[in-house]
Amino acid sequence: KNLSTMLSERLEQLPISSIRKLLPHATSAKAQGVKVFHLNIGDPDIPTPVEMIDVLRNWENPVIRYAPSRGDPGFLDATKDYYHSLGHTFVEETDMIVSVGGSEALQWTMFGVANPGEEIIVFEPYYSNYNSIAVATGVTLVPVETTIETGFHLPSREAILAKIGPKTRAILYTNPGNPTGTNYTKDEIELLVSIAKEKKLFLVSDEPYREYVFDGEQVSLLSYMKEIPEYAILLDTVSKRWALCGARIGIFLSLNKSLIAATMRLAMARLSAGLIDQSVAAALCKVPKSYLEGVVQEYKQRRDLLHEGLKEIPGIFAPKPEGAFYMMVSLPVDNAETFAKFLLETYRNDKNETLMLAPGGGFYANEEKGINQVRIAYILNQDDLRSCLQILRDGLAQYNALKQ
C-alpha cells in the first residue's frame, strides 16, 4: 500500500481552511521581499493587556504541571466573576469546562450533540472551520441561507423550520458573526430560542466577539439559559476579547449537567488545557474596563474607515457590519479566489506591497454562492487599512484589465 491509500477517508475529506489556504502564496511573496498586509485572519494587532503580560514576566513556578481537566481553579473563578459582572449570576464553575481554544469547545459540541450522519443547522455564510470539525466528527451541516443584501440577518421562521428534519440535533450560530460581523437582534435570538424549545434541539451560541458591538446591543444566549437549560450551550474564548489568540483558552458552558459530565470525559482524555495559558487569562479580573472600551472604539473607527473606503471603489458592495471585526465584501470580479491569488502572485504597488484576503467561497457549503466575495478582517491599524484600500482599488483595476 502507498501512503495515500492508508489514510482514512475522514482525513482525506477534511477541507483546507479558506482563511489559511493561500498562505503558501503569501509566504512566497514575502520571500521575494514583498510586504503583505494580512486581512485574511482575525489575529488582532492590539496589545494584550499588560496585566496578563505581567503574569509571564513574573512567573516563578519552577515546575509547569498539568492543570485539572475541568480547568485551573483561578481561571474558572475569574471567568465566573466575568459572567457575573455581565449580570449572569447563575453561572458556576461546575457549569464550565476549559478547552484548548474555542475550536476544541466546538469539537466537543459536535461530538456531543450529534451522532455520525446526524445534522446541525448553521446560517450561511458561517465560520469556515465548522466544515472541518463537522467532517472530523461525522456530522452533517445543513445551511440556512442568509444574504448580503439583508446584511446576513436571519430569514423567516418558516425558512429555518424548512431545514429541520428527523436527523436535526442542534442549531449553531455565531453572534456577532464571523465572517459577517452581523449582530443578531433580540427578536432574532428569541426566534432561535423558540424553535429550539419547540423542536427540542440543542441551541449553540458561539460568542468570541461579545463585546465588539458597534450598533445596538449584543444579546447573549446566557440571557436565555435558564429558559432552556437542557438545550443551551455557550462557546466562548479569551482569544479576541483580550488579544490572547496565542493563549489557546476557550470555554464550554451549559446548565445541562448530563452534557457537562459526559464532556468531562473528553476533557480528561486530552488531560488539560495549558496551565500557563490559563494563568495568564485568569488576570482578566485585573484588566480595567477602559481596556475593552478603548479596543471597541478602535475597531469601530476601523470599521467606519474601511466601510467608507469600500463604498468609493466602483463595483464593490459591502453591508456595514454591526460587530466583531469582519466584513463580507462582494467584489466586481469573476472569481474572488483567483483575484486573491493575483494580489499575492502578481500585483505589487510602488512600495512593493500587496494584500491577502480570505476568499468568500470557503464560508459557504456551496462555494459558488461566495464566488465573488471575500472576508476582510480589519485587524490592522488605520494607516495600514488606508494602504490596503488603495491596493484593493488598484488591484481590481489591474486584474479586470487583464481579463478583458
Side-chain angles (χ1 to χ4, degrees), residues 347-401:
Y347 174 84
R348 306 290 184 259
N349 68 8
D350 56 6
K351 296 180 181 178
N352 203 28
E353 297 170 337
T354 193
L355 171 62
M356 185 172 181
L357 302 167
F363 299 97
Y364 290 85
N366 178 358
E367 292 197 4
E368 288 297 311
K369 291 182 179 180
I371 194 167
N372 70 335
Q373 295 177 12
V374 293
R375 187 196 72 171
I376 293 177
Y378 41 97
I379 45 74
L380 301 180
N381 66 64
Q382 294 178 48
D383 286 340
D384 284 351
L385 286 177
R386 290 186 183 93
S387 298
C388 290
L389 284 164
Q390 190 60 51
I391 290 171
L392 182 59
R393 176 189 286 272
D394 295 344
L396 283 168
Q398 289 188 24
Y399 176 82
N400 285 321

Side-chain angles (χ1 to χ4, degrees), residues 260-278:
I260 288 291
T263 305
M264 270 299 298
R265 298 201 291 270
L266 286 171
M268 288 187 282
R270 60 79 165 114
L271 302 182
S272 73
L275 176 65
I276 295 176
D277 298 39
Q278 292 182 76

Side-chain angles (χ1 to χ4, degrees), residues 284-300:
L284 66 89
C285 56
K286 299 177 182 177
V287 178
K289 289 184 178 180
S290 58
Y291 173 82
L292 273 176
E293 291 169 353
V295 173
V296 171
Q297 184 60 28
E298 172 63 22
Y299 281 128
K300 183 178 186 298

Side-chain angles (χ1 to χ4, degrees), residues 229-354:
E230 294 303 303
Y231 304 127
I233 301 171
L234 180 84
L235 308 180
D236 210 344
T237 175
V238 302
S239 294
K240 315 298 182 175
R241 192 169 298 125
W242 289 290
L244 276 174
C245 292
R248 305 301 300 139
I249 298 296
I251 290 288
F252 179 95
L253 192 158
S254 178
L255 300 184
N256 184 323
K257 301 302 182 186
S258 297
L259 177 62
I260 288 291
T263 305
M264 270 299 298
R265 298 201 291 270
L266 286 171
M268 288 187 282
R270 60 79 165 114
L271 302 182
S272 73
L275 176 65
I276 295 176
D277 298 39
Q278 292 182 76
S279 298
V280 169
L284 66 89
C285 56
K286 299 177 182 177
V287 178
K289 289 184 178 180
S290 58
Y291 173 82
L292 273 176
E293 291 169 353
V295 173
V296 171
Q297 184 60 28
E298 172 63 22
Y299 281 128
K300 183 178 186 298
Q301 291 174 2
R302 293 180 183 187
R303 178 206 60 173
D304 293 346
L305 184 157
L306 181 64
H307 190 254
E308 289 302 311
L310 289 171
K311 287 197 299 183
E312 295 175 2
I313 300 176
I316 281 184
F317 177 74
K320 193 173 187 178
E322 299 108 351
F325 41 61
Y326 303 106
M327 191 180 299
M328 285 294 279
V329 180
S330 175
L331 300 177
V333 296
D334 55 345
N335 186 299
E337 183 170 331
T338 304
F339 171 65
K341 289 179 181 176
F342 165 80
L343 288 178
L344 293 171
E345 295 176 347
T346 304
Y347 174 84
R348 306 290 184 259
N349 68 8
D350 56 6
K351 296 180 181 178
N352 203 28
E353 297 170 337
T354 193

Side-chain angles (χ1 to χ4, degrees), residues 83-143:
Y83 289 129
H84 286 195
S85 74
L86 300 178
H88 309 297
T89 55
F90 60 88
V91 175
E92 299 295 340
E93 289 96 331
T94 51
D95 301 323
M96 299 181 282
I97 306 174
V98 180
S99 59
V100 180
S103 299
E104 186 179 47
L106 277 164
Q107 293 169 21
W108 291 345
T109 299
M110 291 193 190
F111 190 90
V113 305
N115 292 308
E118 292 182 332
E119 298 172 351
I120 295 176
I121 298 289
V122 291
F123 298 98
E124 188 178 52
Y126 52 85
Y127 178 48
S128 61
N129 284 351
Y130 288 174
N131 286 323
S132 300
I133 296 170
V135 170
T137 55
V139 171
T140 299
L141 297 183
V142 176

